[in-house]
């Protein structure tokens, strides 16, 4: 059902855009045809749709990992500082002329930045050994805000087009992606999701608390470290390609849990599907609603994801304990 | 089975246990009792290997506890916390299957369900159980591992009369089968005549 809807959305987003395409079907089956339809479809729309699907899946899975690893329903990459860390690393890399946005190297340094800031948040939140869920969120938000401010200052103080604008780093955009970004993005995302699926059964045990997980033979710190590395790989790829898209990482796993329950392996698969669907819908709206102008995609992930999340959690028993 | 030799444990800067020693033989039940805040749970956590020792030695099966890997220790001793945490809405059955990482099997999980008489809970979500039910599930989770050492922090605290009786009978049967059982209790010594050893001054 899910997959069918996703497929319908893919077809729909091939057919809508700033330019009208005549002969969509023939263009779809003749990628080499020398028509403007084939060119728009194969050079612009298809790469963009694929980017939305990959990044959406990455963000959905990243959210499931963030929540599972911290045992916290409020955790998501944009709250733990993961996304901000990735953005800062890329901006510094671009300004220092080390990397180009969308490249393999940019993803590597973005993943490193993502991991470092996430670890810093976790370390800071548990300094006094009180692993209060609220503390983690407050400290994560503070780190995210601080680092996002630094990213904003860096991007505006140095006017270079390849550093992207502050709205790119705050709300994300798929407008500047091109087909050469796809391969590194795909490699990173697949790697992150494979690690996530592998560690998933042990994330189930973390929901019993670190002490019980350990009593049952699992090293919670090791599990968390592996999950955070997968998280950083996914966010590194996503943020360095399309900027920071918040809320998707929070909403996708919550909605997914209502569909498949709390078990992390099915949850990760479902979060990937939902993340891909929501981001594709959001990006299609972002590029068509005010065409030929583009809006930031993050506006639409919030607009779609937030009400769905609120309604689902309101109307049905959430998977998280109420205490 | 377990021997502790003049151990000292601190919580923060507070020394809670100072130079305490004891022996726990296989096939026996030991109760740790005492007023609130005297360090009963701390002592149990030290025996479980959950806390670093400031001093002294805890040996399980003739080997110092910190020399066991996490997974080996999980097969040697199981622990029931005073307030088990169930953060996600897994069913009871799904939670019991998590003991597989410590060597449980479907058969041992079903046996634990029968022993605790929680058959009617297996499809319920653990997040929706009462305190006493959660505790029984936590005991079932520990029993499913079938480890030779069983450590329980106030397992009878939230139980009604019937469940209390059943859990006591269960612990006696497990001890008879050769297990070493240590529990923290919050009842008068006179109600613990089913235990083989009482520890109250430490």
């Amino acid at each position: 059902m899910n997959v069918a809807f996703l497929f319908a959305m893919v077809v729909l987003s091939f057919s809508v855009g700033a330019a009208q395409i005549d002969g969509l079907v023939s263009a779809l089956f003749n990628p080499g045809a020398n028509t403007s339809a084939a060119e728009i479809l194969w050079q612009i729309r298809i790469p963009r749709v694929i980017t939305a699907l990959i990044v959406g899946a990455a963000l959905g899975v990243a959210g499931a990992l963030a929540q599972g690893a911290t045992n916290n329903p409020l955790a998501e990459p944009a709250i733990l500082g993961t996304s901000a860390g990735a953005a800062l690393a890329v901006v510094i890399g671009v300004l220092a002329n080390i990397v180009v946005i969308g490249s393999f190297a940019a993803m590597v340094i973005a993943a490193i930045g993502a991991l470092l800031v996430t670890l810093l948040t976790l370390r800071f939140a548990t300094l006094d050994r009180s692993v209060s869920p609220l503390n983690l969120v407050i400290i994560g938000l503070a780190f995210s805000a601080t680092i996002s401010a630094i990213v904003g200052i860096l991007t505006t103080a140095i006017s270079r087009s390849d550093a992207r604008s502050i709205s790119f780093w705050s709300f994300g955009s798929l407008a500047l992606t091109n087909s050469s970004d796809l391969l590194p993005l795909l490699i990173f995302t697949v790697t992150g999701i494979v690690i996530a699926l592998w560690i998933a059964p042990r994330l189930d045990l973390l929901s019993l608390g670190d002490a019980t997980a350990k009593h049952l033979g699992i090293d919670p710190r090791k599990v968390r470290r592996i999950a955070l590395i997968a998280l950083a790989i996914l966010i590194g790829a996503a943020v360095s390609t399309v900027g920071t898209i918040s809320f998707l990482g929070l909403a996708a796993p919550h909605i997914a849990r209502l569909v498949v329950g709390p078990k992390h392996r099915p949850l990760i698969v479902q979060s990937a599907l939902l993340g891909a669907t929501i981001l594709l819908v959001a990006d299609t709206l972002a590029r068509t609603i005010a065409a030929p102008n583009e809006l930031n995609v993050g506006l639409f992930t919030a607009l779609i994801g937030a009400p769905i999340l609120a309604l689902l959690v309101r109307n049905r028993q959430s998977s998280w304990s109420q205490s | 089975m377990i021997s502790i030799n003049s151990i000292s444990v601190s919580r923060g800067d507070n020394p809670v246990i100072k130079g305490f020693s004891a022996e726990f033989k296989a096939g026996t039940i030991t109760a740790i009792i005492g007023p609130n805040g005297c360090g009963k749970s701390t002592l149990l956590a030290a025996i479980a290997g959950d806390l670093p020792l400031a001093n002294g030695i805890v040996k399980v099966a003739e080997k110092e506890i910190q020399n066991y890997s996490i997974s080996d220790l999980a097969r040697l001793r199981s622990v029931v916390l005073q307030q088990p945490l169930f953060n996600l809405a897994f069913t009871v059955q799904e939670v019991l299957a998590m003991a597989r990482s410590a060597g449980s099997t479907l058969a041992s999980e079903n046996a634990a369900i029968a022993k605790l008489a929680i058959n009617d809970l297996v499809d319920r979500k653990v997040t929706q159980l009462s305190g006493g039910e959660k505790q029984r599930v936590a005991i079932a989770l520990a029993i499913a591992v079938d480890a030779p050492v069983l450590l329980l922090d106030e397992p009878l605290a939230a139980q009604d009369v019937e469940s209390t009786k059943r859990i006591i009978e269960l612990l006696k049967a497990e001890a008879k089968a050769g297990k070493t059982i240590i529990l923290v209790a919050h009842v008068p010594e006179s109600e613990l005549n089913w235990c083989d050893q009482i520890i109250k001054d430490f």
Side-chain angles (χ1 to χ4, degrees), chain A residues 71-72 204-209 211-220 257 262-264 317-322, chain B residues 48-50 70-71 73-75 77-79 81 85-90 94-95 98-99 101-102 127-128 141 145:
Chain A
N71 208 356
N72 189 328
D204 292 344
L205 273 98
L206 287 195
S207 74
L208 306 178
T212 301
K214 209 169 162 185
H215 294 151
L216 291 174
I218 295 289
D219 184 348
R257 237 179 251 110
K263 241 183 196 169
H264 279 87
Q317 189 69 43
S318 153
S319 265
W320 289 90
S321 94
Q322 306 296 305
Chain B
D50 289 347
I70 288 177
S71 62
L73 200 54
R75 286 158 193 272
R77 61 95 179 90
S78 25
V79 184
L81 298 177
L85 178 73
F86 295 119
N87 223 347
L88 279 171
F90 288 104
E94 286 170 338
V95 165
M98 292 183 195
S101 56
T127 41
Q128 293 167 13
L141 184 63
V145 174

Side-chain angles (χ1 to χ4, degrees), chain A residues 46-47 49-58 61 102-104 107 177-195 230 233-242 272 276:
Chain A
I46 288 178
V49 166
I50 294 173
T51 305
L53 295 176
I54 300 174
V55 170
V61 174
S103 67
F104 201 84
M107 290 180 196
T177 54
N178 57 56
S179 49
S180 67
D181 300 345
L182 284 178
L183 188 63
L185 180 63
L186 185 68
I187 291 172
F188 262 68
T189 303
V190 168
T191 306
I193 294 178
V194 167
I195 299 173
I233 290 172
L234 292 168
I235 290 302
V239 168
S240 62
T241 314
V242 304

Side-chain angles (χ1 to χ4, degrees), chain A residues 75-216:
Chain A
E76 75 135 328
I79 285 177
L80 294 179
T82 318
S83 303
L88 181 62
V90 177
V91 170
I92 291 173
V94 168
L95 293 176
N97 275 326
I98 304 170
V99 298
V100 179
I101 285 182
S103 67
F104 201 84
M107 290 180 196
V108 172
I109 68 159
I112 293 170
L115 185 63
L116 289 179
V117 175
T118 312
L119 290 176
L120 196 67
T121 303
L122 292 182
R123 174 60 65 87
F124 210 80
T126 54
L127 262 188
D128 57 355
R129 296 191 141 261
S130 69
V131 204
S132 144
L134 213 52
N135 273 358
L136 178 64
V137 171
I138 293 168
I139 288 166
L141 281 173
F143 277 10
S144 293
T146 310
I147 292 169
S148 300
I150 296 170
V151 170
I153 292 165
L154 286 178
T155 50
T156 47
I158 305 166
S159 61
R160 284 183 37 183
S161 59
D162 59 354
R164 301 287 201 270
S165 67
I166 181 62
S167 69
F168 174 83
W169 295 113
S170 312
F171 297 103
S173 170
L174 276 71
L176 301 167
T177 54
N178 57 56
S179 49
S180 67
D181 300 345
L182 284 178
L183 188 63
L185 180 63
L186 185 68
I187 291 172
F188 262 68
T189 303
V190 168
T191 306
I193 294 178
V194 167
I195 299 173
L197 288 171
W198 173 65
I199 200 72
R202 281 172 275 177
L203 287 176
D204 292 344
L205 273 98
L206 287 195
S207 74
L208 306 178
D210 279 12
T212 301
K214 209 169 162 185
H215 294 151
L216 291 174

Side-chain angles (χ1 to χ4, degrees), chain B residues 36-75:
Chain B
N36 283 335
C38 74
K40 300 187 293 290
S41 297
T42 302
L43 179 57
L44 195 76
I47 298 169
D50 289 347
L51 290 176
L53 303 176
N55 245 316
I57 294 170
V58 173
K59 278 189 179 174
V60 181
E62 310 292 318
K63 185 170 157 185
E64 284 189 42
I65 196 157
Q66 64 268 28
N67 293 337
Y68 286 103
S69 70
I70 288 177
S71 62
D72 287 345
L73 200 54
R75 286 158 193 272

